[in-house]
C-alpha cells in the first residue's frame, strides 16, 4: 500500500521487526496513509523526523485505544500528580 505511492523509500530491519519509511513531504507527513496501512497488520507508526511545525500539527505517536489511553493517563498521574512533567508531549491530555 505505502510502496504504491511511488515516492516512498523503505528500509527493512527484520531483526528488530522495523520498517523505516521516508515519504515525500506532505501536510500530514503521510500519517493517514501509514497509520491505515499498519493498522491492518496490528502494528503502529511513530513520526521520527519532520519539521517542528509539522510535528506540532500531526500526531507523533499512533493514537491509543480507549483502554490503553486510560491506563497511560493513570500511570502518568501516579508519577506526576501535578501534571508538570511535559504535559501533552506524547499524547494530548496526558
Amino acid at each position: 500500500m505505502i510502496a504504491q505511492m511511488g515516492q516512498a523509500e523503505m528500509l527493512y530491519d527484520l531483526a528488530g521487526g522495523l520498517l523505516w519509511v521516508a515519504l515525500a513531504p506532505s501536510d500530514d507527513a503521510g500519517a493517514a496513509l501509514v497509520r491505515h496501512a499498519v493498522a491492518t497488520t496490528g502494528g503502529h507508526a511513530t513520526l521520527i523526523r519532520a519539521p517542528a511545525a509539522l510535528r506540532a500539527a500531526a500526531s507523533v505517536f499512533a493514537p491509543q485505544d480507549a483502554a490503553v489511553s486510560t491506563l497511560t493517563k493513570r500511570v502518568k498521574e501516579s508519577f506526576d500528580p501535578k501534571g508538570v512533567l511535559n504535559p501533552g508531549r506524547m499524547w494530548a491530555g496526558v
Side-chain angles (χ1 to χ4, degrees), residues 26-89:
S26 67
D27 292 340
D28 73 342
L33 172 73
V34 172
R35 294 211 168 116
H36 174 71
V38 299
T40 62
T41 63
H44 62 91
T46 303
L47 178 62
I48 300 295
R49 189 170 151 191
L54 183 55
R55 292 177 67 83
S59 295
V60 173
F61 297 98
Q64 298 178 321
D65 63 40
V68 174
S69 178
T70 299
L71 180 60
T72 299
K73 287 178 185 177
R74 288 178 58 200
V75 169
K76 168 87 171 169
E77 288 169 358
S78 70
F79 283 99
D80 181 21
K82 294 183 181 180
V84 297
L85 301 175
N86 294 321
R89 174 87 172 161

Side-chain angles (χ1 to χ4, degrees), residues 1-10 12 21 23 33 36-37:
M1 176 185 268
I2 297 170
Q4 295 171 352
M5 287 186 55
Q7 293 185 353
E9 291 183 49
M10 296 188 188
Y12 299 91
V21 180
L23 300 172
L33 172 73
H36 174 71

